[in-house]
Amino acid sequence: PLPPASPASPRPSRVDELDEEAVLAFFWSPDSQKLLYLSSPAKDTEMYQRTQGMALRCRWNVLFVNTGETRRFETFSPSTLMLERVIPNFQLFAPSVSLWAPDSRRFCFAGKCNRVTDKGYAEVYEGAWVQDLELPDPQLVAEGVTFVSWSPK
């Protein structure tokens, strides 16, 4: 097993047999039963650290503590503000800023997601997204937003 990721210098962690991913940030749910963590392919993370202005392909994952199940969501690119300010300093944000809904059934994030149109074309939308744990795709709730968090009430 690999050592846990450190916020200052993400190290790859074994997600499954074939995919090495770096864990970039993590947030406990309000009910303390789920761990939301942001991961990125380790090679992409290393390249991003060397290249300015590159979009980083990431995905949100939710670990259900009681069962050990991990649910992986679709890839997206975090907003520049998230990549440059929030993720590198997530340990400062995590205690006071929640990406989780108070009911621990949804989380929010800012970034770019692809959507396929009725005609089969991929379109990129940027803004604030809400991901319901029971749905496969996040819902765009506001366009052009670069940072989002959930109010505790």
Side-chain angles (χ1 to χ4, degrees):
L2 296 170
S6 133
S9 59
R11 291 186 202 137
S13 62
R14 184 66 69 188
V15 173
D16 59 39
E17 296 281 323
L18 302 174
D19 240 356
E20 267 194 16
E21 293 192 344
V23 174
L24 306 176
F26 54 89
F27 303 87
W28 283 102
S29 62
D31 66 6
S32 301
Q33 298 302 305
K34 300 165 202 77
L35 182 66
L36 173 67
Y37 65 95
L38 183 66
S39 65
S40 179
K43 289 183 180 180
D44 288 6
T45 304
E46 292 165 9
M47 185 183 303
Y48 176 78
Q49 291 172 343
R50 291 190 311 266
T51 309
Q52 293 294 329
M54 177 185 143
L56 182 63
R57 181 177 48 140
C58 294
R59 86 168 60 242
W60 287 110
N61 308 270
V62 174
L63 171 66
F64 293 81
V65 177
N66 291 339
T67 65
E69 172 196 0
T70 298
R71 189 166 302 153
R72 298 178 67 172
F73 294 95
E74 291 300 314
T75 58
F76 76 104
S77 294
S79 70
T80 303
L81 178 66
M82 290 291 291
L83 279 174
E84 293 178 359
R85 302 283 186 242
V86 178
I87 293 168
N89 299 299
F90 85 90
Q91 72 278 13
L92 301 174
F93 286 91
S96 59
V97 173
S98 181
L99 301 184
W100 282 100
D103 64 6
S104 299
R105 295 181 12 204
R106 294 163 289 159
F107 62 89
C108 61
F109 62 95
K112 296 177 186 176
C113 293
N114 294 328
R115 290 290 162 256
V116 178
T117 66
D118 294 338
K119 295 182 181 183
Y121 300 112
E123 293 184 351
V124 177
Y125 294 93
E126 182 172 15
W129 300 84
V130 172
Q131 177 68 62
D132 186 306
L133 298 183
E134 300 302 319
L135 299 176
D137 298 320
Q139 301 300 307
L140 180 65
V141 295
E143 290 189 49
V145 173
T146 59
F147 180 78
V148 64
S149 68
W150 214 289
S151 171
K153 297 184 182 195

